[in-house]
Amino acid sequence: MVELVLNIVLVLTSIVLIVLILLHRGKGGGLSSMFGGAASASLSGSSVVEKNLNRLTVFCLLVWAICVVGLGILLKV
Amino acid sequence: MLQAFAAAFRTPDLRRKLLFSLAIIAVYRLGASVPGPGVSVPAINSCLDQANSGAQQDVYSLVNLFSGGALLRLSVFALGIMPYITASIIVQLLVVVIPRFEMLKKEGQSGQAKLTQYTRYLTIALAVLQSTGIIALARSGQLFPGCAQELIPSNSIWTTIVLVISLTAGTAVIMWLGELLTEKGIGNGMSVLIFTSIAARIPAEGGAILQSRGGLIFTLVCVLAVLIIASVIYVEQAQRRIPVQYAKRMVGRRMYGGTSTYLPLKVNQAGVIPVIFASSLLYLPQLLTQLQGDSTGAVRRFVEDYLVDQTSSVHIAVYFALIIFFTYFYVSITFNPEERADDMKRYGGFIPGIRPGRPTAEYLQYVLSRITLPGSIYLGLVAVLPNFFLSVTQEGQNQNFPFGGTAVLIMVGVGLETVKQIETQLNQRNYEGFLR
């Protein structure tokens, strides 16, 4: 029962997490900034939207992590 | 050196950046050791032991190296940063092919942001593909050939779906961590994460060599590693200085310019990116055959014999050629001689003996293409050399070996870049840096 709930929550948070991360503006992200876009990274500070998005993402990440760890523990027991 | 470290930690915002980077690295390593949902840890462990003791060929060596050993453990961060790298390469190559992408690239900042966004979508798509492939492999028992344990005990399709989705989410999280690291931390997020993965495997691999080959070989390997590192740094720091003379100008009542400086052109302008790209690109055909599933097909046989097997001469030649290609490709993307010549003209600078404007751009292009040739050959040689003679680890695992070739190049390159970035931050406050 607990496993089923955790699984469902895990799938839901995973999808939400992917969507939230894709919603971020990938500024200065990864290799693409190395491709001649170096100056663009520092031009804009983090906006309010971005800040709230960060908070939501971190919250989602925590729930997701708890689900993963919980499932791992369940499988071991 | 130590004083510089102390100074770095005494500067408030630099300290914040360093601590933030360390925290991100910690999260990344933590995630790499958490098993995915539904994966049996005891089975994985026994299979890993078996794989380490036997001299079997590790097909996924390089990917496993890039993910810091997380791939074979089927942890939630199993795919590591690889899908993101592959996606970046694909998008950058498509810029040359698809006119719309080229338009976006020329558009400047907003177009660039759109390209980044495409890269991120592509990353997720690749992550889904790759995680499905890996899990299919684990299910059919091909991830560890010869190990009879059930890696994923439950046989329902539901478990597989959950695993695929959570691995994809893990990849998205890594991508986000990398972006955060670039934005708020020190260094380029993606390369720092790769650096961490490789560095995390050094103690284990070193121990394995010490155990299986004895002290003499181990010392030899260490000496060789130090030599490689020293030579890599030597070439990495080499640059050609093109003298630039600035004319004196009067602006209002002040006098500007009249100085003579130089334009540094590094021998290895591209850094470690070509190596990362070439090795990721070599992995692509393997990914495709993996999805095909069937292990006896002629195409798969061909790919495994010629492209994946690191001792085959075809693999070495292709790898070498790819590195040279990507060095030129990357240099042409990052350094634009026309732009540089225009900038110089605007501020009244010129290279002695060469007229400003187009001749200058041509001259820069000429020097750059000549200086990149030894740079690219050097990159290729260092990456490929271990395949020839460094057979101290198991057969065919040479690139997996953190002291050789690709791994050393990436580690030294990223380390130097990051230290340089810390140093510029320190210099802003007039502190003595790490490098003299």
Side-chain angles (χ1 to χ4, degrees):
Chain A
M1 185 59 207
V2 184
E3 201 179 333
L4 186 67
V5 172
L6 275 181
N7 266 325
I8 291 170
V9 175
L10 181 64
V11 169
L12 286 182
T13 45
S14 294
I15 292 169
V16 173
L17 199 57
I18 293 173
V19 170
L20 281 179
I21 287 174
L22 284 181
L23 274 179
H24 280 276
R25 261 185 309 139
K27 58 176 172 184
L31 282 177
S32 28
S33 77
M34 295 191 221
F35 285 111
S40 64
S42 58
L43 272 176
S44 52
S46 60
S47 60
V48 182
V49 184
E50 197 82 351
K51 229 175 216 168
N52 284 333
L53 205 55
N54 272 346
R55 232 170 264 160
L56 260 175
T57 317
V58 168
F59 174 72
C60 226
L61 185 60
L62 282 181
V63 177
W64 181 76
I66 290 169
C67 284
V68 169
V69 172
L71 275 176
I73 291 171
L74 271 184
L75 197 76
K76 225 176 215 172
V77 173
Chain B
M1 180 85 188
L2 279 178
Q3 266 177 339
F5 255 117
F9 268 94
R10 239 178 280 128
T11 322
D13 62 332
L14 194 53
R15 179 178 56 215
R16 209 178 319 126
K17 278 185 174 179
L18 282 173
L19 289 180
F20 185 82
S21 310
L22 285 180
I24 293 259
I25 288 172
V27 171
Y28 176 64
R29 285 306 301 163
L30 194 70
S33 59
V34 173
V39 174
S40 159
V41 182
I44 291 262
N45 279 340
S46 71
C47 280
L48 267 181
D49 279 348
Q50 200 179 325
N52 283 340
S53 58
Q56 62 162 261
Q57 192 169 354
D58 182 4
V59 190
Y60 309 102
S61 52
L62 203 73
V63 203
N64 197 29
L65 180 69
F66 277 179
S67 65
L71 178 76
L72 290 184
R73 297 196 152 274
L74 284 182
S75 69
V76 278
F77 283 178
L79 299 179
I81 200 85
M82 213 62 168
Y84 198 13
I85 298 178
T86 320
S88 316
I89 303 171
I90 292 176
V91 168
Q92 288 305 325
L93 287 177
L94 283 185
V95 163
V96 189
V97 183
I98 300 179
R100 180 172 150 68
F101 277 30
E102 202 182 342
M103 245 168 58
L104 278 178
K105 191 179 165 60
K106 287 205 175 119
E107 208 173 89
Q109 226 190 84
S110 61
Q112 203 75 39
K114 218 165 218 170
L115 276 185
T116 313
Q117 207 57 32
Y118 288 158
T119 311
R120 293 157 55 106
Y121 294 146
L122 191 60
T123 308
I124 300 297
L126 281 177
V128 173
L129 278 183
Q130 229 159 316
S131 53
T132 319
I134 293 286
I135 288 161
L137 274 181
R139 272 242 190 271
S140 60
Q142 284 173 37
L143 194 58
F144 296 101
C147 183
Q149 304 254 15
E150 283 274 335
L151 296 179
I152 305 162
S154 155
N155 247 332
S156 68
I157 185 105
W158 169 242
T159 321
T160 312
I161 292 174
V162 171
L163 203 47
V164 167
I165 290 182
S166 47
L167 283 192
T168 310
T171 311
V173 170
I174 293 177
M175 184 170 81
W176 190 53
L177 288 180
E179 281 167 6
L180 278 182
L181 196 51
T182 315
E183 206 182 316
K184 294 180 186 158
I186 288 281
N188 180 286
M190 191 182 282
S191 28
V192 170
L193 289 186
I194 293 179
F195 174 84
T196 337
S197 309
I198 295 176
R201 284 177 60 93
I202 287 187
E205 294 276 341
I209 292 170
L210 185 59
Q211 245 174 18
S212 60
R213 299 292 168 127
L216 186 68
I217 298 274
F218 182 70
T219 348
L220 204 72
V221 165
C222 284
V223 169
L224 213 68
V226 169
L227 277 182
I228 293 179
I229 290 175
S231 64
V232 167
I233 292 180
Y234 184 74
V235 179
E236 205 74 36
Q237 300 280 58
Q239 52 182 218
R240 161 140 188 211
R241 298 178 169 176
I242 297 176
V244 179
Q245 180 77 40
Y246 280 93
K248 281 186 182 144
R249 316 192 285 168
M250 294 288 281
V251 177
R253 287 165 52 195
R254 286 219 200 105
M255 181 93 111
Y256 287 103
T259 50
S260 81
T261 56
Y262 56 84
L263 185 68
L265 288 183
K266 280 171 75 179
V267 172
N268 178 19
Q269 187 95 349
V272 290
I273 312 292
V275 181
I276 298 180
F277 274 23
S279 44
S280 330
L281 206 68
L282 265 185
Y283 170 69
L284 271 185
Q286 191 185 335
L287 172 74
L288 292 180
T289 50
Q290 210 180 76
L291 289 171
Q292 181 194 356
D294 171 27
S295 70
T296 49
V299 179
R300 177 150 180 169
R301 202 18 70 72
F302 177 81
V303 166
E304 263 171 19
D305 280 358
Y306 290 107
L307 291 181
V308 179
D309 181 14
Q310 287 170 352
T311 48
S312 91
S313 50
V314 176
H315 169 92
I316 295 175
V318 169
Y319 192 35
F320 191 73
L322 272 181
I323 288 179
I324 291 184
F325 166 72
F326 272 119
T327 314
Y328 272 96
F329 181 72
Y330 190 67
V331 167
S332 75
I333 283 176
T334 48
F335 189 94
N336 187 348
E338 265 129 56
E339 212 170 276
R340 206 50 75 92
D342 272 355
D343 275 352
M344 255 180 341
K345 194 165 77 178
R346 198 170 309 136
Y347 294 106
F350 60 93
I351 300 168
I354 289 149
R355 301 183 60 175
R358 211 160 59 90
T360 304
E362 273 163 14
Y363 176 72
L364 283 181
Q365 181 60 51
Y366 170 70
V367 172
L368 192 68
S369 64
R370 279 206 318 174
I371 210 173
T372 308
L373 184 66
S376 61
I377 289 177
Y378 137 81
L379 269 184
L381 276 184
V382 177
V384 154
L385 266 187
N387 292 23
F388 284 126
F389 65 90
L390 237 167
S391 311
V392 281
T393 47
Q394 287 100 323
E395 241 345 74
Q397 268 203 8
N398 301 331
Q399 288 293 358
N400 192 10
F401 175 49
F403 299 105
T406 313
V408 166
L409 264 182
I410 292 176
M411 277 197 305
V412 174
V414 174
L416 270 179
E417 258 166 49
T418 311
V419 166
K420 263 187 198 147
Q421 210 173 347
I422 297 177
E423 191 176 61
T424 37
Q425 300 257 343
L426 275 178
N427 275 344
Q428 285 176 356
R429 294 183 167 66
N430 257 338
Y431 286 131
E432 219 162 52
F434 295 101
L435 302 166
R436 305 246 156 143

